[in-house]
Amino acid sequence: MELVAGCYEQVLFGFAVHPEPEADGHHEKWAPVADFTHHAHTASLSAVAVNSRFVVTGSKDETIHIYDMKKKVDHGALMHHNGTITCLKFHGNRHLISGAEDGLICVWDAKRWECLKSIRAHKGHVTFLSIHPSGKLALSVGTDKTLRTWNLVEGRSAFIKNIKQNAHIVEWSPKGEKYVVVILNRIDVYHLDTASVSGTITNERRVSSVTFLSESILAVAGDEEVVRFFDCDSLTCLSEFKAHENRVKGMFSFETPEHHVLVTASSDGFIKMWKLKQDKKVSPSLLCEVNTNARLTCLGVWLDRGTDTKESPPAAAEPAPVSKEQSRSNKEESGHAIQEEERQTKPDAEKCSLTGDNNKPTKGNSLVSAKKRKTVEMSEKKRKKKKI
């Protein structure tokens, strides 16, 4: 496995972790070893996502860079967005979905690296998105104070809910039976079958990252050193522990045959791996840590699929189609939910090709080599100076 983390200093770090048995034969020694640094962006990194072959990073430089984990080489850049890349999510090995401050959500073919669809998703920034385990639905939140449900099969908006405030995180549970929406330090828990808030969890500080440890248990990190485990059914805090010396910026959980592991990354520069106990009321124990000496901003874990690991329980709840009756009742109950008709907003779909008549890399093209991208950026800067 490999820990990957982006930072303000424009670098992607990679640390290989190979659990090895200790001398007594009863315990494993986990030791991260520096494997690579990837300096492809020209601004701080803002998002990272992994699949079985690639790590993709988003940045304030408005580009998405692809790193081949098998060959350990730069695989090129995607240049479609006009704004900071705020979120990146893979669904399997075939599709990548990106969101940015330009209000667009883009669906990418992760084999040919072409943009299959570009959707005008929010009137403001897209702040976060999450894909249902079935791959049929996605949720997104933005600075237009809406929570939007997307039909990924048809590539269109299915439902809009006015949540009155700007949410910055949305996350499906492992089986897709519930999801959480985060607004500042408030976490609203929704159930898929009702699409309404079933309860609210309040954290002490603004929430910076969440990850489900099971269908009902949520790990929450905020603008503080502490990580808390909450039960989404009883809405109670099961336990908390000091994870870092500064705010926690990212978390990722996965399972091996021996352990359930939580990985955390912080502004203090450390990436830490924690062994979770079966009873989540008991604080986890530290497996290992590594100091990057950088201000970390985002985290991912590349799991070599040759090893026996899993990110979450496999069974996913099939999202039930929203009936007209259900839509009407939701609208009547809350007064803030709006069933969106296709005629109201038509997704701005663009087919992006790898090869085009124009050899010059532009925002509409798909895969661009890092060398070409830097050449174009330099020429653009020169033109701007001449105009001045």
Side-chain angles (χ1 to χ4, degrees):
M1 74 186 73
E2 192 122 358
L3 309 178
V4 291
C7 64
Y8 280 108
E9 291 80 4
Q10 308 171 10
V11 178
L12 175 69
F13 296 99
F15 294 91
V17 181
H18 301 288
E20 296 177 357
E22 296 241 22
D24 59 10
H26 297 295
H27 298 88
E28 284 185 324
K29 182 181 179 182
W30 296 57
V33 178
D35 187 33
F36 71 88
T37 55
H38 188 221
H39 197 151
H41 290 284
T42 58
S44 61
L45 276 67
S46 50
V48 64
V50 296
N51 70 3
S52 64
R53 178 67 184 267
F54 298 103
V55 172
V56 293
T57 53
S59 166
K60 289 187 176 180
D61 65 11
E62 305 180 355
T63 67
I64 300 167
H65 268 271
I66 309 160
Y67 189 77
D68 190 325
M69 289 298 291
K70 298 288 188 182
K71 297 180 179 179
K72 294 296 192 311
V73 294
D74 187 293
H75 194 69
L78 304 174
M79 302 173 66
H80 188 83
H81 288 285
N82 285 296
T84 297
I85 311 300
T86 54
C87 40
L88 294 166
K89 299 287 181 180
F90 275 109
H91 181 69
N93 291 318
R94 195 60 204 247
H95 294 101
L96 170 71
I97 301 185
S98 61
E101 288 186 355
D102 57 7
L104 296 180
I105 287 178
C106 295
V107 181
W108 302 87
D109 184 322
K111 297 290 184 183
R112 295 172 302 199
W113 296 110
E114 57 183 33
C115 182
L116 301 175
K117 190 166 275 266
S118 179
I119 305 168
R120 182 66 58 184
H122 288 268
K123 292 176 182 177
H125 302 168
V126 178
T127 51
F128 212 87
L129 62 87
S130 183
I131 305 170
H132 189 271
S134 68
K136 295 178 180 180
L137 288 179
L139 294 169
S140 68
V141 289
T143 56
D144 56 1
K145 301 179 182 178
T146 62
L147 165 66
R148 302 189 181 226
T149 306
W150 300 95
N151 181 331
L152 294 181
V153 178
E154 298 178 16
R156 63 175 180 84
S157 176
F159 201 77
I160 302 175
K161 186 177 180 67
N162 181 0
I163 52 177
K164 292 187 175 181
Q165 289 177 280
N166 291 330
H168 61 282
I169 298 174
V170 61
E171 194 72 50
W172 285 105
S173 63
K175 292 181 181 178
E177 293 173 356
K178 61 172 68 78
Y179 54 92
V180 293
V181 175
V182 181
I183 301 169
L184 298 175
N185 68 326
R186 191 183 87 219
I187 304 163
D188 289 330
V189 182
Y190 290 75
H191 278 271
L192 177 65
D193 52 358
T194 61
S196 59
V197 179
S198 61
T200 298
I201 294 166
T202 304
N203 196 47
E204 287 190 17
R205 298 280 185 90
R206 180 185 184 274
V207 175
S208 57
S209 179
V210 301
T211 187
F212 277 94
L213 305 179
S214 67
E215 190 61 22
S216 60
I217 298 174
L218 184 72
V220 177
D223 290 345
E224 56 187 332
E225 307 87 356
V226 174
V227 172
R228 296 182 177 87
F229 297 159
F230 287 94
D231 188 315
C232 289
D233 296 326
S234 66
L235 307 175
T236 57
C237 180
L238 301 176
S239 63
E240 65 176 69
F241 65 98
K242 184 179 178 180
H244 292 272
E245 296 300 322
N246 208 326
R247 66 185 64 177
V248 180
K249 298 294 287 185
M251 295 189 294
F252 188 97
S253 71
F254 65 93
E255 292 180 58
T256 69
E258 295 82 21
H259 303 300
H260 190 179
V261 179
L262 176 69
V263 186
T264 58
S266 167
S267 299
D268 63 11
F270 278 87
I271 306 171
K272 298 186 180 184
M273 300 183 75
W274 305 88
K275 178 184 175 183
L276 299 172
K277 311 298 183 184
Q278 193 164 5
D279 182 1
K280 298 303 182 290
K281 291 181 180 178
V282 181
S283 296
S285 57
L286 184 65
L287 286 168
C288 63
E289 63 181 17
V290 61
N291 188 2
T292 64
N293 294 305
R295 293 171 295 167
L296 301 179
T297 56
C298 49
L299 171 73
V301 178
W302 180 73
L303 301 169
D304 189 341
R305 297 306 173 185
T307 61
D308 189 9
T309 57
K310 61 177 182 176
E311 287 178 57
S312 59
E318 278 295 309
V322 180
S323 66
K324 290 181 180 178
E325 288 78 11
Q326 185 182 344
S327 300
R328 197 178 297 117
S329 64
N330 286 343
K331 186 173 180 179
E332 287 169 358
E333 282 175 19
S334 65
H336 306 306
I338 307 155
Q339 184 69 31
E340 184 181 68
E341 302 290 341
E342 281 191 77
R343 59 183 171 80
Q344 288 178 302
T345 58
K346 293 184 179 179
D348 175 25
E350 294 179 16
K351 180 74 173 183
C352 303
S353 60
L354 271 168
T355 56
D357 296 329
N358 186 1
N359 292 323
K360 178 183 169 183
T362 64
K363 291 290 181 183
N365 285 77
S366 290
L367 195 60
V368 179
S369 70
K371 190 175 180 181
K372 280 185 180 179
R373 180 180 63 82
K374 287 177 181 176
T375 304
V376 170
E377 285 175 354
M378 286 176 69
S379 63
E380 284 177 352
K381 284 178 183 177
K382 285 179 182 178
R383 278 202 303 274
K384 285 179 182 177
K385 284 180 180 179
K386 285 180 181 178
K387 286 180 181 179
I388 292 167

